[in-house]
Amino acid sequence: MSLKLIFLGPPGAGKGTQADIISRKVSIPRIAPGDLFRKAVAEHTELGKLVQSYIDSGKLVPDEITINLMRDKLSSPEAKRGFILDGFPRNLVQAEALDRLLKELGIKLDAAIYIGVPFDRLVERSAGRRVCKQCGAAYHVKFKPPRVANVCDLCGGELYQRDDDRPETVRRRLEVYEENTRPLVDYYSRQGLLKRIDGDQPVDKVFSDIQEALGLNNNDQH
Ligand code: AP5
């Protein structure tokens, strides 16, 4: 199955968690600029040096940098069979750039999955998040604890807390989301691509609602 999806939603809504499950289920890559930026920062690359101050303060990385990165990823052979864009686009300039890029590449999106969660829940979700240093899998101290404390269930990597998950930075990210990203809900609704999912439910239920919205059944593999 070749799915081309966008995941939209506020910080901490569960985009990464759900995109990761779908990506494994249908064997398509999850392309997440946030993860790519954090990796670049950890590896002290030129890109990492450029983006670190934006990420640490909860601001958006400049559009030109982000759009160029996504252009490379979407043009790569691994995206040919489908993809999930997790955290891109994040404003109207990026959405319009994505439309142009997809047109150039002859690709049509299947859906934009919007995961909605009430704002008062989002700070708690981000504050309790722990992420694997090695494979990037996300856990939560209360809602999704790892089997062994601070150890990734999937690869045995060490878990850490993201710098931008401090409450004051999470609040800044929520403001940035409201101002820049929320308008994309209407943008994709007008294109007839939007699927609204209630993200304020257990992870498994959110996943089954996404499957249903996409018309996937339990046996669907790629
Ligand atoms: P990014 O990494 O994309 O962060 P985000 O969008 O703020 O989203 P999060 O990763 O915080 O949340 P999520 O929705 O993926 O939730 P998750 O599944 O982890 O971006 C970081 C930074 O990079 C940005 O601030 C910006 O600087 C830069 N950036 C990224 N993209 C950019 C772009 N396009 N343009 C410019 N700059 C960009 O879940 C959160 C927690 O909740 C976890 O602990 C999880 O276990 C738990 N959880 C998940 N689902 C549930 C559930 N159903 N019930 C209970 N707990 C749950």
Side-chain angles (χ1 to χ4, degrees):
M1 168 165 294
S2 164
L3 279 174
K4 284 115 184 163
L5 304 173
I6 288 175
F7 272 50
L8 286 174
K15 303 179 296 295
T17 300
Q18 297 297 332
D20 192 46
I21 300 173
I22 306 271
S23 138
R24 289 173 203 274
K25 183 174 169 69
V26 296
S27 302
I28 53 174
R30 166 179 162 254
I31 304 174
D35 285 3
L36 296 168
F37 291 146
R38 278 186 292 279
K39 184 166 184 281
V41 170
E43 292 173 353
H44 307 287
T45 65
E46 282 308 308
L47 175 65
K49 286 177 205 154
L50 280 174
V51 304
Q52 180 159 21
S53 64
Y54 297 98
I55 294 184
D56 287 350
S57 59
K59 292 183 190 153
L60 292 185
V61 169
D63 290 334
E64 196 188 343
I65 298 175
T66 309
I67 291 166
N68 283 340
L69 175 73
M70 298 311 277
R71 172 182 290 277
D72 285 353
K73 292 288 165 190
L74 284 168
S75 312
S76 74
E78 64 157 359
K80 287 268 180 298
R81 286 182 40 245
F83 50 78
I84 301 174
L85 300 184
D86 169 8
F88 181 86
R90 247 172 151 108
N91 60 25
L92 283 170
V93 171
Q94 294 183 9
E96 286 165 4
L98 176 64
D99 282 350
R100 287 192 295 275
L101 178 57
L102 293 176
K103 203 169 170 196
E104 268 170 42
L105 296 169
I107 293 172
K108 259 184 88 135
L109 288 175
D110 294 301
I113 304 285
Y114 168 70
I115 304 181
V117 172
F119 266 35
D120 54 2
R121 294 259 201 283
L122 295 168
V123 176
E124 183 188 18
R125 284 213 187 165
S126 297
R129 171 170 39 198
R130 299 292 181 271
V131 182
C132 176
K133 271 188 183 166
Q134 231 160 266
C135 73
Y139 296 84
H140 192 282
V141 290
K142 183 164 151 197
F143 304 124
K144 194 189 168 201
R147 283 194 291 269
V148 177
N150 293 320
V151 178
C152 178
D153 292 351
L154 300 176
C155 74
E158 186 191 342
L159 305 188
Y160 78 106
Q161 183 166 29
R162 274 170 45 175
D163 284 344
D164 64 348
D165 276 344
R166 289 186 304 266
E168 66 278 13
T169 315
V170 172
R171 283 192 200 97
R172 174 77 187 123
R173 285 163 55 208
L174 289 169
E175 285 166 14
V176 168
Y177 168 80
E178 275 299 308
E179 194 180 322
N180 296 274
T181 314
R182 188 184 280 283
L184 299 187
V185 175
D186 281 346
Y187 185 86
Y188 287 108
S189 176
R190 283 196 299 274
Q191 293 192 12
L193 289 170
L194 195 75
K195 310 270 185 205
R196 287 176 190 270
I197 302 292
D198 176 5
D200 191 16
Q201 312 182 83
V203 170
D204 290 353
K205 177 69 171 88
V206 177
F207 173 59
S208 69
D209 285 0
I210 294 174
Q211 284 200 112
E212 200 180 319
L214 292 174
L216 297 176
N217 67 44
N218 287 331
N219 301 318
D220 271 331
Q221 299 286 326
H222 62 100

